[in-house]
mmCIF file of all heavy atoms in Angstrom:
data_model
loop_
_atom_site.group_PDB
_atom_site.id
_atom_site.type_symbol
_atom_site.label_atom_id
_atom_site.label_comp_id
_atom_site.label_asym_id
_atom_site.label_seq_id
_atom_site.Cartn_x
_atom_site.Cartn_y
_atom_site.Cartn_z
ATOM 1 N N ARG A 15 -8.283 10.517 3.291
ATOM 2 C CA ARG A 15 -7.147 10.395 2.399
ATOM 3 C C ARG A 15 -5.974 9.813 3.167
ATOM 4 O O ARG A 15 -5.508 10.397 4.148
ATOM 5 C CB ARG A 15 -6.735 11.731 1.776
ATOM 6 C CG ARG A 15 -5.662 11.547 0.691
ATOM 7 C CD ARG A 15 -5.342 12.811 -0.069
ATOM 8 N NE ARG A 15 -4.444 13.688 0.658
ATOM 9 C CZ ARG A 15 -3.641 14.584 0.086
ATOM 10 N NH1 ARG A 15 -3.652 14.723 -1.237
ATOM 11 N NH2 ARG A 15 -2.869 15.346 0.830
ATOM 12 N N LEU A 16 -5.508 8.665 2.717
ATOM 13 C CA LEU A 16 -4.361 8.014 3.315
ATOM 14 C C LEU A 16 -3.089 8.430 2.593
ATOM 15 O O LEU A 16 -3.094 8.647 1.384
ATOM 16 C CB LEU A 16 -4.497 6.494 3.249
ATOM 17 C CG LEU A 16 -5.765 5.877 3.841
ATOM 18 C CD1 LEU A 16 -5.688 4.355 3.751
ATOM 19 C CD2 LEU A 16 -5.979 6.329 5.278
ATOM 20 N N SER A 17 -2.012 8.516 3.343
ATOM 21 C CA SER A 17 -0.715 8.842 2.780
ATOM 22 C C SER A 17 0.279 7.744 3.116
ATOM 23 O O SER A 17 0.224 7.156 4.198
ATOM 24 C CB SER A 17 -0.197 10.171 3.329
ATOM 25 O OG SER A 17 -1.044 11.244 2.975
ATOM 26 N N CYS A 18 1.179 7.494 2.201
ATOM 27 C CA CYS A 18 2.250 6.524 2.392
ATOM 28 C C CYS A 18 3.543 7.206 2.009
ATOM 29 O O CYS A 18 3.760 7.523 0.831
ATOM 30 C CB CYS A 18 2.007 5.289 1.525
ATOM 31 S SG CYS A 18 3.347 4.081 1.536
ATOM 32 N N ALA A 19 4.393 7.443 2.978
ATOM 33 C CA ALA A 19 5.639 8.153 2.758
ATOM 34 C C ALA A 19 6.830 7.216 2.897
ATOM 35 O O ALA A 19 6.899 6.421 3.836
ATOM 36 C CB ALA A 19 5.773 9.307 3.740
ATOM 37 N N GLY A 20 7.751 7.318 1.964
ATOM 38 C CA GLY A 20 8.979 6.558 2.055
ATOM 39 C C GLY A 20 9.953 7.216 3.019
ATOM 40 O O GLY A 20 10.085 8.436 3.046
ATOM 41 N N SER A 21 10.624 6.398 3.793
ATOM 42 C CA SER A 21 11.625 6.877 4.731
ATOM 43 C C SER A 21 12.906 6.082 4.534
ATOM 44 O O SER A 21 12.891 4.858 4.597
ATOM 45 C CB SER A 21 11.122 6.727 6.170
ATOM 46 O OG SER A 21 12.094 7.165 7.102
ATOM 47 N N GLY A 22 13.999 6.772 4.281
ATOM 48 C CA GLY A 22 15.268 6.107 4.074
ATOM 49 C C GLY A 22 15.524 5.656 2.650
ATOM 50 O O GLY A 22 16.585 5.102 2.370
ATOM 51 N N PHE A 23 14.564 5.865 1.768
ATOM 52 C CA PHE A 23 14.735 5.547 0.361
ATOM 53 C C PHE A 23 13.734 6.359 -0.443
ATOM 54 O O PHE A 23 12.777 6.903 0.118
ATOM 55 C CB PHE A 23 14.576 4.047 0.089
ATOM 56 C CG PHE A 23 13.171 3.535 0.200
ATOM 57 C CD1 PHE A 23 12.503 3.062 -0.918
ATOM 58 C CD2 PHE A 23 12.516 3.510 1.415
ATOM 59 C CE1 PHE A 23 11.211 2.564 -0.826
ATOM 60 C CE2 PHE A 23 11.222 3.021 1.526
ATOM 61 C CZ PHE A 23 10.574 2.544 0.402
ATOM 62 N N THR A 24 13.943 6.413 -1.741
ATOM 63 C CA THR A 24 13.032 7.144 -2.610
ATOM 64 C C THR A 24 12.130 6.161 -3.345
ATOM 65 O O THR A 24 12.562 5.093 -3.781
ATOM 66 C CB THR A 24 13.792 8.013 -3.620
ATOM 67 O OG1 THR A 24 14.700 7.204 -4.372
ATOM 68 C CG2 THR A 24 14.576 9.098 -2.900
ATOM 69 N N LEU A 25 10.870 6.550 -3.498
ATOM 70 C CA LEU A 25 9.856 5.659 -4.051
ATOM 71 C C LEU A 25 9.758 5.696 -5.570
ATOM 72 O O LEU A 25 8.976 4.932 -6.135
ATOM 73 C CB LEU A 25 8.491 6.010 -3.457
ATOM 74 C CG LEU A 25 8.253 5.634 -1.992
ATOM 75 C CD1 LEU A 25 6.917 6.203 -1.523
ATOM 76 C CD2 LEU A 25 8.272 4.120 -1.826
ATOM 77 N N ASP A 26 10.517 6.545 -6.227
ATOM 78 C CA ASP A 26 10.306 6.727 -7.658
ATOM 79 C C ASP A 26 10.683 5.523 -8.511
ATOM 80 O O ASP A 26 10.314 5.479 -9.689
ATOM 81 C CB ASP A 26 11.002 7.995 -8.160
ATOM 82 C CG ASP A 26 12.501 7.988 -7.950
ATOM 83 O OD1 ASP A 26 13.028 7.039 -7.344
ATOM 84 O OD2 ASP A 26 13.159 8.955 -8.397
ATOM 85 N N ALA A 27 11.403 4.555 -7.959
ATOM 86 C CA ALA A 27 11.719 3.335 -8.690
ATOM 87 C C ALA A 27 10.847 2.154 -8.258
ATOM 88 O O ALA A 27 11.123 1.017 -8.639
ATOM 89 C CB ALA A 27 13.192 2.981 -8.513
ATOM 90 N N TYR A 28 9.806 2.437 -7.499
ATOM 91 C CA TYR A 28 8.977 1.399 -6.911
ATOM 92 C C TYR A 28 7.519 1.537 -7.314
ATOM 93 O O TYR A 28 6.968 2.636 -7.335
ATOM 94 C CB TYR A 28 9.051 1.468 -5.385
ATOM 95 C CG TYR A 28 10.409 1.161 -4.808
ATOM 96 C CD1 TYR A 28 11.428 2.108 -4.844
ATOM 97 C CD2 TYR A 28 10.666 -0.070 -4.223
ATOM 98 C CE1 TYR A 28 12.680 1.824 -4.318
ATOM 99 C CE2 TYR A 28 11.911 -0.357 -3.688
ATOM 100 C CZ TYR A 28 12.911 0.591 -3.740
ATOM 101 O OH TYR A 28 14.148 0.312 -3.208
ATOM 102 N N ALA A 29 6.915 0.398 -7.627
ATOM 103 C CA ALA A 29 5.468 0.352 -7.660
ATOM 104 C C ALA A 29 4.963 0.299 -6.221
ATOM 105 O O ALA A 29 5.603 -0.306 -5.360
ATOM 106 C CB ALA A 29 4.979 -0.870 -8.436
ATOM 107 N N VAL A 30 3.834 0.929 -5.961
ATOM 108 C CA VAL A 30 3.294 0.993 -4.613
ATOM 109 C C VAL A 30 1.850 0.516 -4.623
ATOM 110 O O VAL A 30 1.075 0.869 -5.517
ATOM 111 C CB VAL A 30 3.374 2.416 -4.042
ATOM 112 C CG1 VAL A 30 2.696 2.491 -2.673
ATOM 113 C CG2 VAL A 30 4.826 2.852 -3.920
ATOM 114 N N GLY A 31 1.506 -0.283 -3.639
ATOM 115 C CA GLY A 31 0.149 -0.770 -3.509
ATOM 116 C C GLY A 31 -0.427 -0.461 -2.140
ATOM 117 O O GLY A 31 0.308 -0.290 -1.162
ATOM 118 N N TRP A 32 -1.752 -0.374 -2.100
ATOM 119 C CA TRP A 32 -2.486 -0.284 -0.845
ATOM 120 C C TRP A 32 -3.237 -1.592 -0.639
ATOM 121 O O TRP A 32 -3.908 -2.093 -1.557
ATOM 122 C CB TRP A 32 -3.484 0.876 -0.857
ATOM 123 C CG TRP A 32 -2.856 2.218 -0.668
ATOM 124 C CD1 TRP A 32 -2.531 3.117 -1.625
ATOM 125 C CD2 TRP A 32 -2.495 2.809 0.587
ATOM 126 N NE1 TRP A 32 -1.985 4.244 -1.056
ATOM 127 C CE2 TRP A 32 -1.950 4.080 0.298
ATOM 128 C CE3 TRP A 32 -2.574 2.400 1.917
ATOM 129 C CZ2 TRP A 32 -1.486 4.940 1.293
ATOM 130 C CZ3 TRP A 32 -2.113 3.247 2.909
ATOM 131 C CH2 TRP A 32 -1.583 4.502 2.593
ATOM 132 N N PHE A 33 -3.141 -2.120 0.552
ATOM 133 C CA PHE A 33 -3.792 -3.366 0.927
ATOM 134 C C PHE A 33 -4.565 -3.146 2.212
ATOM 135 O O PHE A 33 -4.287 -2.206 2.964
ATOM 136 C CB PHE A 33 -2.750 -4.480 1.108
ATOM 137 C CG PHE A 33 -1.954 -4.762 -0.130
ATOM 138 C CD1 PHE A 33 -0.868 -3.970 -0.483
ATOM 139 C CD2 PHE A 33 -2.291 -5.820 -0.960
ATOM 140 C CE1 PHE A 33 -0.133 -4.215 -1.625
ATOM 141 C CE2 PHE A 33 -1.560 -6.081 -2.117
ATOM 142 C CZ PHE A 33 -0.490 -5.276 -2.446
ATOM 143 N N ARG A 34 -5.521 -4.005 2.466
ATOM 144 C CA ARG A 34 -6.269 -3.889 3.708
ATOM 145 C C ARG A 34 -6.568 -5.265 4.274
ATOM 146 O O ARG A 34 -6.659 -6.255 3.546
ATOM 147 C CB ARG A 34 -7.567 -3.100 3.512
ATOM 148 C CG ARG A 34 -8.603 -3.787 2.634
ATOM 149 C CD ARG A 34 -9.769 -2.850 2.375
ATOM 150 N NE ARG A 34 -10.815 -3.487 1.590
ATOM 151 C CZ ARG A 34 -11.865 -2.858 1.100
ATOM 152 N NH1 ARG A 34 -12.023 -1.541 1.325
ATOM 153 N NH2 ARG A 34 -12.777 -3.512 0.396
ATOM 154 N N GLN A 35 -6.726 -5.298 5.583
ATOM 155 C CA GLN A 35 -7.037 -6.544 6.256
ATOM 156 C C GLN A 35 -8.034 -6.273 7.375
ATOM 157 O O GLN A 35 -7.749 -5.507 8.296
ATOM 158 C CB GLN A 35 -5.783 -7.203 6.816
ATOM 159 C CG GLN A 35 -6.025 -8.598 7.366
ATOM 160 C CD GLN A 35 -4.735 -9.372 7.562
ATOM 161 O OE1 GLN A 35 -3.666 -8.792 7.688
ATOM 162 N NE2 GLN A 35 -4.837 -10.690 7.573
ATOM 163 N N ALA A 36 -9.182 -6.903 7.267
ATOM 164 C CA ALA A 36 -10.201 -6.828 8.293
ATOM 165 C C ALA A 36 -10.059 -8.024 9.228
ATOM 166 O O ALA A 36 -9.512 -9.063 8.840
ATOM 167 C CB ALA A 36 -11.592 -6.815 7.659
ATOM 168 N N PRO A 37 -10.558 -7.915 10.467
ATOM 169 C CA PRO A 37 -10.455 -9.039 11.402
ATOM 170 C C PRO A 37 -11.052 -10.315 10.829
ATOM 171 O O PRO A 37 -12.176 -10.307 10.313
ATOM 172 C CB PRO A 37 -11.245 -8.554 12.617
ATOM 173 C CG PRO A 37 -11.134 -7.071 12.561
ATOM 174 C CD PRO A 37 -11.178 -6.738 11.096
ATOM 175 N N GLY A 38 -10.299 -11.396 10.907
ATOM 176 C CA GLY A 38 -10.774 -12.679 10.431
ATOM 177 C C GLY A 38 -10.719 -12.879 8.936
ATOM 178 O O GLY A 38 -11.153 -13.926 8.443
ATOM 179 N N LYS A 39 -10.202 -11.902 8.200
ATOM 180 C CA LYS A 39 -10.130 -12.002 6.750
ATOM 181 C C LYS A 39 -8.688 -11.899 6.266
ATOM 182 O O LYS A 39 -7.823 -11.366 6.958
ATOM 183 C CB LYS A 39 -10.972 -10.912 6.086
ATOM 184 C CG LYS A 39 -12.462 -11.033 6.332
ATOM 185 C CD LYS A 39 -13.231 -10.014 5.530
ATOM 186 C CE LYS A 39 -14.727 -10.181 5.698
ATOM 187 N NZ LYS A 39 -15.480 -9.199 4.879
ATOM 188 N N GLU A 40 -8.461 -12.409 5.076
ATOM 189 C CA GLU A 40 -7.142 -12.315 4.481
ATOM 190 C C GLU A 40 -6.888 -10.907 3.956
ATOM 191 O O GLU A 40 -7.815 -10.170 3.622
ATOM 192 C CB GLU A 40 -6.987 -13.319 3.337
ATOM 193 C CG GLU A 40 -6.898 -14.762 3.778
ATOM 194 C CD GLU A 40 -6.328 -15.662 2.700
ATOM 195 O OE1 GLU A 40 -6.425 -15.307 1.511
ATOM 196 O OE2 GLU A 40 -5.767 -16.707 3.046
ATOM 197 N N ARG A 41 -5.619 -10.558 3.891
ATOM 198 C CA ARG A 41 -5.242 -9.282 3.325
ATOM 199 C C ARG A 41 -5.567 -9.259 1.833
ATOM 200 O O ARG A 41 -5.304 -10.223 1.110
ATOM 201 C CB ARG A 41 -3.752 -9.042 3.549
ATOM 202 C CG ARG A 41 -3.279 -7.651 3.210
ATOM 203 C CD ARG A 41 -1.839 -7.443 3.685
ATOM 204 N NE ARG A 41 -1.715 -7.597 5.132
ATOM 205 C CZ ARG A 41 -0.601 -7.408 5.799
ATOM 206 N NH1 ARG A 41 0.507 -7.045 5.170
ATOM 207 N NH2 ARG A 41 -0.576 -7.582 7.122
ATOM 208 N N GLU A 42 -6.140 -8.152 1.376
ATOM 209 C CA GLU A 42 -6.503 -8.029 -0.019
ATOM 210 C C GLU A 42 -5.946 -6.747 -0.614
ATOM 211 O O GLU A 42 -5.813 -5.730 0.072
ATOM 212 C CB GLU A 42 -8.023 -8.070 -0.198
ATOM 213 C CG GLU A 42 -8.765 -6.926 0.455
ATOM 214 C CD GLU A 42 -10.265 -7.001 0.259
ATOM 215 O OE1 GLU A 42 -10.734 -7.851 -0.528
ATOM 216 O OE2 GLU A 42 -10.983 -6.212 0.897
ATOM 217 N N GLY A 43 -5.645 -6.815 -1.893
ATOM 218 C CA GLY A 43 -5.163 -5.643 -2.589
ATOM 219 C C GLY A 43 -6.298 -4.691 -2.889
ATOM 220 O O GLY A 43 -7.338 -5.094 -3.418
ATOM 221 N N VAL A 44 -6.105 -3.426 -2.589
ATOM 222 C CA VAL A 44 -7.113 -2.391 -2.790
ATOM 223 C C VAL A 44 -6.823 -1.574 -4.042
ATOM 224 O O VAL A 44 -7.707 -1.325 -4.862
ATOM 225 C CB VAL A 44 -7.200 -1.471 -1.561
ATOM 226 C CG1 VAL A 44 -8.184 -0.332 -1.806
ATOM 227 C CG2 VAL A 44 -7.597 -2.267 -0.328
ATOM 228 N N SER A 45 -5.582 -1.153 -4.180
ATOM 229 C CA SER A 45 -5.199 -0.332 -5.311
ATOM 230 C C SER A 45 -3.689 -0.350 -5.447
ATOM 231 O O SER A 45 -2.975 -0.647 -4.493
ATOM 232 C CB SER A 45 -5.698 1.107 -5.129
ATOM 233 O OG SER A 45 -5.449 1.886 -6.286
ATOM 234 N N CYS A 46 -3.209 -0.015 -6.632
ATOM 235 C CA CYS A 46 -1.775 0.087 -6.835
ATOM 236 C C CYS A 46 -1.493 1.101 -7.920
ATOM 237 O O CYS A 46 -2.364 1.432 -8.724
ATOM 238 C CB CYS A 46 -1.141 -1.269 -7.177
ATOM 239 S SG CYS A 46 -1.647 -1.982 -8.755
ATOM 240 N N VAL A 47 -0.268 1.580 -7.939
ATOM 241 C CA VAL A 47 0.157 2.555 -8.930
ATOM 242 C C VAL A 47 1.574 2.217 -9.366
ATOM 243 O O VAL A 47 2.421 1.838 -8.554
ATOM 244 C CB VAL A 47 0.058 3.996 -8.373
ATOM 245 C CG1 VAL A 47 0.937 4.184 -7.143
ATOM 246 C CG2 VAL A 47 0.389 5.022 -9.448
ATOM 247 N N SER A 48 1.819 2.340 -10.663
ATOM 248 C CA SER A 48 3.141 2.070 -11.200
ATOM 249 C C SER A 48 4.125 3.149 -10.775
ATOM 250 O O SER A 48 3.749 4.201 -10.252
ATOM 251 C CB SER A 48 3.081 1.980 -12.726
ATOM 252 O OG SER A 48 2.666 3.206 -13.287
#
């Protein structure tokens, strides 16, 4: 389970996405939440 915590601001006005990048590959979107 990965966690993403906001620091210095609140996330409630932001959409948040998870992305991943493997060696030699472009970054791709994994998931997002409104």
